[in-house]
Amino acid sequence: MPHSPEATNSRPAGSDLLAQLGQTTHQTEFYSPVPDGYVRGRHKYVVVLGTVMSGLGKGVFSSSMAKMLKDKGLSVAPIKMEGYLNIDSGTLNPFRHGEVFVLDDGTECDMDLGTYERMLDQDLTRRNFITSGQLYTEVLDRERQGGYLGRDVQMIPHVTGEVKRKLRELALTGGPDGGPVDVVFVEVGGTVGDYENGYYIEALRELAFEEGEHSACFVALTYIIEPPALGEQKSKAAQLGIRALMEVGIQPHIIACRASSPITETVRQKIAMYSNVPMSRVFSLHDRESIYTIPDDMRIAGLDREVLSIVHLHDHVDAATEDASRERWRSFIRKLTKKRTHKATIAITGKYMQVRDAYASIRKALAHCGAHLDADLDVRWIETSDITRQSVADQLRDIHGVITPGGFGMRGVEGKIACVNHCRIQRVPYLGICLGFQTAVIEFARNVVGIEPAGSTEFEPNCPEPVISELPEQKKIEGLGGTMRLGAQDVLLTSDTLAAFLYDGAPTVRGRFRHRYEVDPRYIERLEEAGLIFSGRHPQHPIMQILELPLEQHPYFVAAQFHPELTSRPLAPQPMFMGLVAAAIQRANPDLETEQVSSRWLRAEPQHT
Ligand code: GLN
């Protein structure tokens, strides 16, 4: 629950001016809409801004800080603010931006939201992600409705006003139950000095002023260069980056220095001196083995104490909650960092192999399972555009498990079908995801049912045997943005199947979808008669959502029309991934177990916390 505002005698700074806020009349220059029920000064804002360069891991750092506070019993809500004009990330190419992450409510967003969900073990919604495109659309719509009362609509105060409105709305409703939160964590995309995020930064400066002292904590994430030719760390670029922030009126409270190795005392001194930030608030955020160790490492370095002091939240810490959460997390870290007993090689057969971020959630899901099943996983990236029926055996030699990830378009599809075929016949553990589910159906239709020209209308609009075809409701939609079947849906599991076993007998589970095509219902019967098991379906419609082969035929052949990787969490690894990894470990060590999918391994851990 949020805390009462600070004592009435310490009214938020500038509160005399603020009495006028939110009134869009011609008498005032202010436009700072405040949602009904919002009490200024009651919620805190921690803002993470990047300097020097992008790609420093603002999301990782911000989510680690949010986790530290959540562990103390405070309620938190993160938000990522993107400068680009796209309405969402749905139309972005994974080559350029990494994977498109999908939330329960169907929001297609930046992969950082995945980092927040995993770190905080908290489902997010569209309120946790905004883009300039969304904001401008809202501002323009409001203008057309006469919402600005005859004023010329400007970046300041109107667009910045909308930013502040969004942040305050999130503070009021961003809790898991739709209730208020104690602390909003704001991550601004890009770097300080970019044109497109300048108005976000201005809005945050205004917000901090309006909310009053001790309401906001600005964190500058910067980068300390260590040119190999010099062999020493240089802080000038970081200093200039921080200066750029100060030039727009923001004095950072905390500075976190990304670097390849721990930052030296000299660098910390220089950063502190040039930026008015005490040494105790300059932190080294050097590379480490796993991002999951950051919350604990930062706690040891004292970051939590500093943040609590800045936003005056020391009194609200619940020590018992903190001890329990910390211990749960530490036991995961112990598994993550210990020397592992087992080994297995997993191939990911996709088409964005040069950009590992295109499959970030799959890598994370595998990392969770590797830790829980005590296995070192060697992940091989195999470009399916280069795979043929002739070369597949060679390319998948010594592979103990295969994941065919989601994808769009024709390129690489025949290579994926060749991979499925190899895995089915050679009994290599297989997990198909979305397009990997569809290619499994096509392969089975062609080679088991005997429908030779089986295909998908995605790749061949006039396909004579479209075992995969466009969803009826998608056919009516034109354009590409936000037009897929998106977000979480129920999946009804068939009892006595591998899927039911993996999900511990649950009758229904939720999966997050992002697709336009599905199994054409006209083929379901023929596929089933030939031995394919559809073990997960839509509860009302004939939409096939999980498939598998009988365990007597294959140790582990499972595919999902949804994206299981999106919901794997460090303390609750995703069951389909756990099954694949367990089966791969067994293939790598045939003497280890006689059972096909070891119930002992999979049940050693509670699957859901
Ligand atoms: N291209 C396929 C479809 O639209 C699969 C999508 C995916 O893999 N995410 O249905």
Side-chain angles (χ1 to χ4, degrees), residues 267-295:
V267 165
R268 281 182 64 212
Q269 284 168 5
K270 280 192 182 168
I271 296 282
M273 188 171 75
Y274 285 108
S275 55
N276 313 318
V277 174
M279 293 274 283
S280 60
R281 292 183 178 171
V282 178
F283 293 88
S284 175
L285 195 61
H286 45 273
D287 292 348
R288 59 201 72 219
E289 205 183 317
S290 163
I291 61 163
Y292 295 129
T293 60
I294 296 175

Side-chain angles (χ1 to χ4, degrees), residues 405-409 433-436 438 458-459 484 514-518 561 563:
F408 294 85
I433 298 175
C434 206
L435 185 59
Q438 298 173 359
E458 180 177 8
F459 320 124
M484 283 184 273
R514 181 172 186 250
H515 67 129
R516 256 187 213 103
Y517 300 83
E518 61 167 351
Q561 182 62 82
H563 288 268

Side-chain angles (χ1 to χ4, degrees), residues 505-526:
T508 45
V509 291
R510 302 270 289 167
R512 288 189 192 170
F513 292 81
R514 181 172 186 250
H515 67 129
R516 256 187 213 103
Y517 300 83
E518 61 167 351
V519 179
D520 189 319
R522 289 174 300 169
Y523 291 92
I524 295 171
E525 222 177 284
R526 285 168 75 191

Side-chain angles (χ1 to χ4, degrees), residues 446-458:
R446 284 185 190 171
N447 302 312
V448 182
V449 190
I451 312 174
E452 244 167 68
S456 162
T457 53
E458 180 177 8

Side-chain angles (χ1 to χ4, degrees), residues 395-411:
Q395 278 165 295
L396 295 183
R397 187 190 309 274
D398 303 328
I399 297 289
H400 307 115
V402 169
I403 297 175
T404 301
F408 294 85
M410 164 105 208
R411 186 168 70 80

Side-chain angles (χ1 to χ4, degrees), residues 397-470:
R397 187 190 309 274
D398 303 328
I399 297 289
H400 307 115
V402 169
I403 297 175
T404 301
F408 294 85
M410 164 105 208
R411 186 168 70 80
V413 165
E414 287 303 322
K416 287 182 182 173
I417 294 173
C419 289
V420 183
N421 179 263
H422 174 84
C423 292
R424 186 175 57 76
I425 291 173
Q426 299 303 322
R427 297 164 51 87
V428 181
Y430 177 80
L431 174 61
I433 298 175
C434 206
L435 185 59
F437 169 95
Q438 298 173 359
T439 47
V441 172
I442 296 172
E443 193 281 326
F444 192 86
R446 284 185 190 171
N447 302 312
V448 182
V449 190
I451 312 174
E452 244 167 68
S456 162
T457 53
E458 180 177 8
F459 320 124
E460 203 187 338
N462 298 320
C463 178
E465 298 279 6
V467 289
I468 305 293
S469 64
E470 204 167 356

